[in-house]
Structures are given as C-alpha cells and as structure tokens.
Amino acid sequence: MSAGNSATIGLDTARTQPVEDGRDEPKPEERKRIVVVGLGMVGIAFIEKVMKLDAKRREYDIIVIGEEPHLAYNRVGLSSFFQHRNAENLYLNPEEWYRGRPKGSLNYHLNTMVTEIHPDHKVVMTSKGDTVAYDILVLATGSDAVLPRHTPGHDAKGVFVYRTIEDLQKLIEFSSTVKGSNGAVVGGGLLGLEAAKAMWDLEEFGSVKLIERNRWVLSRQLDSDAGSMVVEQVRNLGLEVLLSKRVGRINVDEDNNVVGVTFEDGEKMDCRCIMFAIGIKARDELARKAGIKCADRGGGIVVNPDLSTSKPDIYAIGECASWESQTFGLIAPGVEMADVLAFNLTQAKVHSPRKFKRPDLSTKLKLLGVEVASFGDFFADRDGPKELPARHGAGKKEGTMNAKDRVKNITDGPPPPPVKALSYRDPFQAVYKKYLFTLDGKYLLGGMMIGDTKDYVKLVPMVKTQKPLEVPPSELILGAQKGDDDNADDLTDDTQICSCHNVTKGDVTNAVKDGTCKSIGDVKSCTKAGTGCGGCMPLVQSIFNKEMKAQGSEVLNHLCPHFAYSRADIFSIVSVKKLKSFPEVMKECGKDPTSLGCEACKPTIGSILSSLYNKHIMDKPLHGLQDTNDRFLGNIQRNGTFSVIPRVAGGEITADKLIAIGTVAKKYGLYCKITGGQRIDMFGAKKQDLVDIWTHLVEAGMESGYAYAKSLRTVKSCVGTTWCRFGIGDSVGMAVRLEERYKSIRSPHKMKGGVSGCVRECAEAQNKDFGLIATEKGFNVFVGGNGGAKPRHSEILAKDVPPEDVIPILDRYLMFYMRSADKLQRTARWIENLPGGIKYLREVILEDKLGICAELEKQMEDLVGTFKCEWTEAIKDPQKRKAFQQFGNTKETSEEAEKVEERAQQRPAYWAKESAHDDFRGTKWSSLTWQPMISASEFPDTPTGSSKSVKRGDTQLAIFKLKGAWYATQQMCPHKRTFALSDGLLGDDLKSDKLWVSCPYHKRNFELKGENAGKCNNDESVNIATFPIEVRDDGLVYLKLPPIEELDSVLGTKKWMVKKDETASPFEKLDQKLKGLKGRKPVEASHLNGTGPRAITAGGDGGMDW
C-alpha cells in the first residue's frame, strides 16, 4: 500500500516529481530523501513535524516503511480496541491524510520489514526484496514486549504479550475458546495494568488475576504506600492481585495448552491464558547487524545528544534509542526526540541546533479507573535527588560534597537525602499525595498522586523551572482541595498540558489566536493534544474556551445543527414572542424554517413549550416532539414494555392505595420495586395495557408520578416531627406541599427534592436539586446537589427560612433555572457555570440583583396553576387512547423478549452482548409483491411526522409519514434487538438531503431515503432493511414485501427476540458461594413453624373478582 510512488523503490528511482501547483521543483540533487524505518507513534510524530517545518522549502521527500499492516495508531489507547474492534478507530491520522500530502513528499509502505542497512551505500533492503536509497535514515523501530524465554512453557498455546493490535486480535480469538476460565497477567507496571484491563474488558474469562513480583504495583512510579492503595482499589473492582509472586513454570497439557502456572515458591494456580507485560526491549537488531553501535547493557541504539548514531546520516529516536545508557518506554521522550531531530534537519541552517536533554518522565494516567500521576524526581527521597537547585548566593549546587564530606561519608555511612517529603493520605476517598521538597521547603522536586490528580499540570512546571515557591509547601496539598474543574488561568504558556505529545498551553492558545483552530476538533488535529491517552482534554477544552472568548469568538453552545441558539436563548425567544408550536419556533429561530429538526432539538423545544404553557404533551402539535418516555407517559424498558409509577407525594401513602397498587400489579403481572425516591415502580406494563392500568390507579385516587418526564420526580422526606423523637420540623408536611406545588412542571433536566426534619439528614436533602433541613427557626434551603455519574453536594442558599417564605425562594430558583440552563443540564452543573456560582445565585434570588424576582414568582404561579394529570387526560380522550396499541393494523400482540422468573417475579432476559450484525439492508429477496397493510387515515399530517408499527406474519415493520412522503423499514433496531423504531424521532439535514429515524433506546440514527436508506449514520456495524411503499386510491398503505415465510426467516420477532439463555447470570459464581440461597433464606427459615407466608388478597380471602 502506498501513496505517490510505487511500492517498489529502486536505487535509480527518480526522487522528484512535478508539482501540480506549477512551482519550480527543486533539482533532484537538491531534494534529499529521508527514509523512516517504523510507522509508530514516534515515527509519525517525526514525519508530521518535518513536513510542517519543511512545508515552504521542500528540502525533503519522506519514505516510511512500517512492519505492521496498519497505519500509525495510538498504542497508548490500545485497550479501547476491545470496545470497537476497529483498528481504524485507533489511527492517529486517517488514510486520507497520507494521500493528501503534496505529491511525492510522502510515501508509505505497510506490512514491510527492513531486513538490512548498508551504511556505506546508503540503502536499506526490505523483506519484499526492494532496495531503498536514503540520504538520511531515521530508525524508529520501537521495542518488543519481553517474553521470558527461560521460563518453561513460554511457547505454549495461550501465552500472549500486550503490544500490538495483532496481539489483541490473537487474544480475542483465543479467549472465545476458553470462556469462563481464569486469565492471568504477569507484571504490575503500567503495561501490566493496561493488559489486565484489556483481558477484563473481554468479559470472556471467569476471573482475571494480576501477578506482580514486588510488594505493590507500579513500583517504577509509586512508593509502597501509593502502590498499595492502587492495589486495594484494583481489588475492589474485582481483579485478583497476587503480590511477591514469580512465575517459575507455565504448566501445559499434552497438546501444549496452558493449564496453569507454578510459582517459584511452589504454589500453583489454574489458568488457561497468560499474558506477559513484564517490560519492553529496544529493537536494535537491525542496527547491530549493520555495525551501528548499540548499548551492551539494556540494549538500544546508542545516540548522541543530536540523536545521531555511530554511522553518518543515520539517526535513532523513540524506544529503540539509548541516550546516556537509558531507553525510555514512554511516548513523551520519543516525541521530544522527534521534535529535536525534525528541528535540526530543517532549521539548523538559521538556528542553533537543539540537543536532546534529560526527558521529563512525569506521567498522568487512568488505569483500571484509578487516577495515577508521578512527576519530577518522584523517588528523590529513596534514591537521592538527581539534581538540586543552586543555593542563593552559593556557587555549588545543594547536596554536593567537598573532600571532607566524602571522608565522613565513608566512615559514617551516607547521609540521608537532602529532601523532605510532605504526604497526605485519605483512605476514605482513596487519595494519596506525596510531594518532595528541598530541605528549606523553597523548591519542589517531584511527587506522586493517587485518586486526585487535578494539580498535576500545575506542579510539573514548578519542578521544571526550579523557581522558588511563593507559598508554603502545605498549600500545594491543601489548596488542591479547592475547586472541581480544570482551570488553566494560572498556567504559563510554556506549561506542558499534554505529556503524550509534548503540547504546551501556548501551542493551543497560538493555534486559536492565529485562526488555525475554530473548534476543539481542530485543536486536536492541529496540535495533537488529547490524541494520546486523552487525560488532558478537560484542560485543553478550558484553554480553548477561554481563548475563543478572549478573541471575541463565542464558543458555540448551539442546541443542534438546526439552531444557531442555545437552549436558554430559545427559551427567551419563545417566551417573549409567545411561540406555541415547533413550526413557529423553527421559523423564528431555526437556520431553515422548513426543517424537520432532529432527535436533539425536538425534545428540548417540546420541554420549553411545556415549561411555558404546560399543554398536554400528547396533543398533536406536541406529540411528535416527545421522546418515547413522554410520548407514552411511561419509561420504556428494554423489552419494549413500560414502567408505571404513581405519585406518592413526600413518600406518604395510605394502606388503601398500597392495596390498589398491589392488585393492579397482580392483575397485569407487573414486577414491583421500591424506588430511591420513596415510590413504587411497576415494570413490565405493555403499551396496550397502559390506559387500563392508569384507569385502575386513578379510580383509586392516584395520579401520574411524571417519572417519565424531565420534571420534578419526588420530594423525599423523613418522618420528622410526625413520628420521630428527634425531629424538630414537620418534614413530611413540607415535602408533600412542595411536591404538590411543583409536580408536572417540565424543566431542562429531571429535578429531585428532599426535606429532613433535623440535622441527622435522613432524607439526604443535601444531594438534591433543592433540599430543606429543619432548624429551630424554620428551614435551611440547599440547592444544586445531585447524585448520579458526577455526584455533587448541594450548597446553602438561605438559612432559617420560615415555612411561608420557602415557596417564594424556590419559585424564583426553579424558574431561573428553567429559563437559563443549558440542554439536559442538571442544577449542579448549572450553578457551577453561573458567573460567580452560588454567590451570584444568592444575589439574584434573595437580593433581586436583576430585578426579575417578581416576574419569576408570577411565571411559576401561572405555571403551577395549569396542572393536570396526564394519565387522566389520556384516559378521557379517545384520540389519545388510540396511540396505545402495539400495532396499527391488528389487535394481535407480540412478546419482544423472553421472561425470567426471579425472586417470585418476572423480568426480561438480559440483553445479548452482541448486536445483530446481519446485513438486513443488503438482503436479496426472492420476490416482492405489493401488500395492503394499514389505512392511510391512521397517519395524521403533522409538521413533525407520524408513524405506526404494523405486523405481517411474525415480522414487525415501521411506517412513517412526513410532509406527504412515506417510508417503511423493519421495526427492530439491530443494536440491542429492540422493536421500537416506529416510536423514534425523525430528523433531517436539508443541505445533504438526509432524513433519518433515531431509535428511542440508544439513538442509533437510520437513514430513510436515497441510496443510503437503511444505513446507520452513527454506528457502521448495524443497518436495517427498507421497503418500497405507496398509498393507493383505496385509502390503504401498500408495502412491497417478500413472502411471509421468507420475511419471517430474516426479520421475524421470534427469531430476534432476546432469549434468556443468551447471557449467563452475572451472579452465577456468587450464587455458588452462597450455596444456592441466591441472597435469601429459604421460606421455611423465614416464617413461623415453616408454614410459609399466608397470602393476603385484595377483596378478602376470596380475592378480587376481576
């Protein structure tokens, strides 16, 4: 594979070609050829830098020869391969980038090994028999993973290393043959933890064991305290860690398959797969063969400070290079070498040549979910400092010894290192920090961090610059507790923010200032920041946002490609202009007034209209904007059924209502569970049963709990003074009043409240969007808390608020949030992003800084006055009731997933691990005939489109109508084999003439028209079948379909429904340990006299007469 020249390049190959833009091409003798051996991360970094620096002069053509069949890929992110299994996702540059270089400037050759170098003739030979001439040769051959060939059994089937994509592909293939067995990783360093994660992510092994010869992991980066904390966290994830263990033998069977290991201490362990990650060895064999000087101890091609080798015009960079008897296994030193060499080759004529100096080996990584960082001279307290800053006014460096000191050193033993350590350990939050300072505390030398690594990027330059500290050492640790976001304000431009590619803050700011980068994607492409391990991206984003703002260029926060406004902007426009439908909003605010919108903007516009006017969301103008939960007034579950949650205000419920819930659940076979918000959730309700279920509940005095909506969910409470002997406030009474006031109002995201009757805080009010804690004088009001993926403790808004003043304060707070928050933004993130945070919020809400408090209160008062129970309205409206059918053309029903009996209830089978990867779109049907399916009158004309599912044989199909046009597809989304495409939102892009339906489960977007109909825009691994469709004069919708038997054989529901035997129980091994009890005592051990529980039925002993 090549770009430009042909794959075979002989000695007489012309070294220049005409340039298409008409410029005079340098003469052949002026154009030099650089041959790069190795297309890895360092090799491509060198190529990119040379081409960038040589763009004007064009002194060089480059030929790169790569041994692997892949273009340069991100080896740091190798473990992500298990998620996508697509090598191209790891590529640092797409193939188009290589082909897009100026003609003749870059040729690349894959799957080709360089076998010989002839320095005297300046040529290299390849495994394909090609001879390639060079003017300059750059060796970037990298390293090999070490395999202990002295260990018996090292060549057995089931032994792997962790280094390349090919290694991972072999592991994936092998692991499927030993499912459920033990896997083992030998080596507890950076590579070992990555390898353990890779093996763990496969989900093929019953257990994964990490074997480390030292007493803790990451012994090259961390001390025993830090390493032991990492061990503890890794074990908590379920990975077994064996310390102080050395593998003496790999045990095999008669077919040379791995069956276990025997350690040097004689202990044995069963396993079927073992992966070695015990280090790397520089690949210097090619150089040795050519007579290039290599290091005898440790290996590696010996290089000078300018990266030159012992042979003229031959250089070495990256892991294969030995500088001052050291090789480096990190990407950052290799990139620095590439920088130095590229600069010297292109700029040395007008600038002083650069030298490679001692590299910074600081690292910041996330391994198995654990944040780990080490920086500077992080073992200075153990090994002594490599270098110390000069004392003020002194001529020698601190720590150097005169003759007298040396004599004393011999007689009394070496003195302790001139270093002081400052440590912080929090076992509860799993945080450890150790910073090392000079004896006087004026200079930071290095350190290590576990758990909390936010200050890493600020501390590294302190070590590099060796400037005296301006604060006491303790502030560097204690100060790290302040703030929660990555902030680059106090970083200098020369601060390195991306260690993988040696990118500084100045590199990012300059790229934005000169107009090169106008998006975060541009920044990643231009500077390479964030394209390695990705850990620097929050900081890169922060720098980009601030620089764009400083340049007067607003960082776009648009709702979606259809709108050039944020959610807050659109809310204001809709409110001021009193817009009441999606077409009106699109006409007023959209980029194209005729656009259909998409799955991102439709629900948001629908939410805004509800927040302002609170019309029933099933009314025709609004129904097409709703995601599936709101569309059917219930949370859709993974088998196509829905959950039903009636409101239980404040968690208070009567016995009669409990009985009503129980009888309904029993009649319809619903799975019951208590929610975290003190309500009862009933799962498994079929769409066609929802109206009847709601009717029973409404007749029993209940109403919708709005658990399906982005609105108030619950106001949780303890019993307070109602019952509790410690209570000092009526928490139940306040919670009920708040929930009754704010129920049904829709907001940018879900909202939760809590009221506690005293400081014991049993209602957990301080992790809610709003929470109250009773005091002797009233209530303390807290705001902006939430649990979830990024928990946040709430902050106090007001103290000792009398009960009558709570409502006005919360009215203002919630309406201000509804007005100004971003799309799907919780109150926690909203407050964090407010200018001034909680202080500013207090000024607006309590001091009326903006003069809008009266308006906010009135707007909320008007809104809560519009309350209606959406279930009741749907029950009473025949048109709304019609939406609750599984199929539009028949009253037949289909089960869409098998059920599993568990703990006396039924749940759907677990989702299968794999999607359906069949090429439904490319199915070759034997014949197609037109079949009438459904009346066209079932599809109302609405601006947002209408849809229905229909059934033919055992196959479910989806039909869509939009602006007079019709479309038909299969109903099943192949991603999780769910049957709900007809309930998905329609979206369009008028510029590209695309129309798609977005699956309501996980937003896979399938095109509906044109030559790409059936393709998935955001997941190439799946696609769907589409069918011709037309409406005829008889008023029926016709689909052109294959025979029923053939259709069912490809798309039948019974074929694709998720079955219970597809996925094993995640508790299979745990249940074995529990001896079959499955977490519960047997009935006879739980009840008196072993008789078991007596059934108490609604309607007396005879039960309810249904």
Side-chain angles (χ1 to χ4, degrees), residues 796-1028:
I796 192 161
L797 180 65
K799 294 182 178 181
D800 297 324
V801 179
E804 61 271 19
D805 291 337
V806 168
I807 294 296
I809 289 175
L810 290 181
D811 280 359
R812 299 171 185 179
Y813 161 69
L814 293 176
M815 186 51 70
F816 188 46
Y817 161 63
M818 290 160 64
R819 281 185 173 191
S820 59
D822 203 356
K823 176 186 67 174
L824 296 178
Q825 188 177 48
R826 291 291 297 270
T827 58
R829 305 286 87 79
W830 169 66
I831 292 176
E832 288 174 351
N833 291 334
L834 286 176
I838 189 65
K839 182 176 181 293
Y840 174 75
L841 186 64
R842 290 192 193 107
E843 291 172 347
V844 173
I845 301 303
L846 304 179
E847 301 170 21
D848 201 10
K849 178 178 181 177
L850 302 180
I852 61 173
C853 283
E855 183 183 341
L856 294 173
E857 288 183 41
K858 182 181 184 304
Q859 197 168 6
M860 181 59 79
E861 189 66 35
D862 291 344
L863 185 60
V864 298
T866 62
F867 168 75
K868 64 183 75 65
C869 170
E870 290 180 341
W871 288 353
T872 303
E873 296 296 307
I875 293 168
K876 295 189 297 185
D877 188 334
Q879 283 300 116
K880 291 183 174 66
R881 292 174 68 107
K882 287 179 66 176
F884 297 93
Q885 292 177 244
Q886 188 174 13
F887 303 113
N889 66 333
T890 178
K891 291 186 178 180
E892 293 179 14
T893 61
S894 292
E895 293 288 340
E896 297 173 359
E898 287 188 353
K899 294 179 179 178
V900 176
E901 190 80 22
E902 194 169 75
R903 297 181 292 276
Q905 298 199 88
Q906 287 187 333
R907 64 160 176 84
Y910 292 129
W911 262 329
K913 289 184 178 181
E914 290 292 327
S915 302
H917 294 302
D918 293 37
D919 184 14
F920 300 106
R921 180 171 175 264
T923 302
K924 304 297 183 184
W925 307 105
S926 62
S927 63
L928 295 171
T929 58
W930 289 103
Q931 302 293 332
M933 295 304 300
I934 188 172
S935 171
S937 63
E938 296 288 329
F939 298 82
D941 288 309
T942 64
T944 53
S946 56
S947 58
K948 291 280 185 181
S949 61
V950 295
K951 184 172 185 285
R952 177 169 173 80
D954 188 43
T955 298
Q956 301 184 39
L957 304 169
I959 297 176
F960 307 90
K961 180 186 180 184
L962 179 67
K963 298 179 180 178
W966 296 80
Y967 310 93
T969 72
Q970 65 187 61
Q971 173 76 333
M972 181 190 71
C973 173
H975 175 232
K976 290 294 184 182
R977 290 157 50 188
T978 54
F979 297 81
L981 286 184
S982 64
D983 297 332
L985 290 171
L986 299 174
D988 69 4
D989 181 351
L990 296 180
K991 287 185 179 179
S992 61
D993 195 32
K994 285 186 177 181
L995 175 70
W996 65 83
V997 59
S998 182
C999 175
Y1001 278 89
H1002 300 106
K1003 304 304 178 192
R1004 294 307 194 269
N1005 294 344
F1006 297 95
E1007 293 195 39
L1008 293 178
K1009 69 176 184 178
E1011 61 182 15
N1012 290 325
K1015 275 191 174 182
C1016 182
N1017 289 330
N1018 48 8
D1019 185 349
E1020 293 182 355
S1021 69
V1022 294
N1023 62 65
I1024 60 173
T1026 60
F1027 300 94

Side-chain angles (χ1 to χ4, degrees), residues 658-680:
L658 283 172
I659 291 172
I661 289 173
T663 54
V664 168
K666 198 165 185 178
K667 176 180 178 180
Y668 292 94
L670 306 181
Y671 175 108
C672 297
K673 189 180 184 302
I674 306 298
T675 73
Q678 300 179 329
R679 304 198 284 193
I680 299 174

Side-chain angles (χ1 to χ4, degrees), residues 433 454-455 458 473-483:
K433 299 179 184 182
K454 292 193 297 291
D455 286 340
K458 300 174 184 178
S474 60
E475 282 195 25
L476 296 184
I477 284 185
L478 299 177
Q481 305 306 307
K482 300 175 184 176

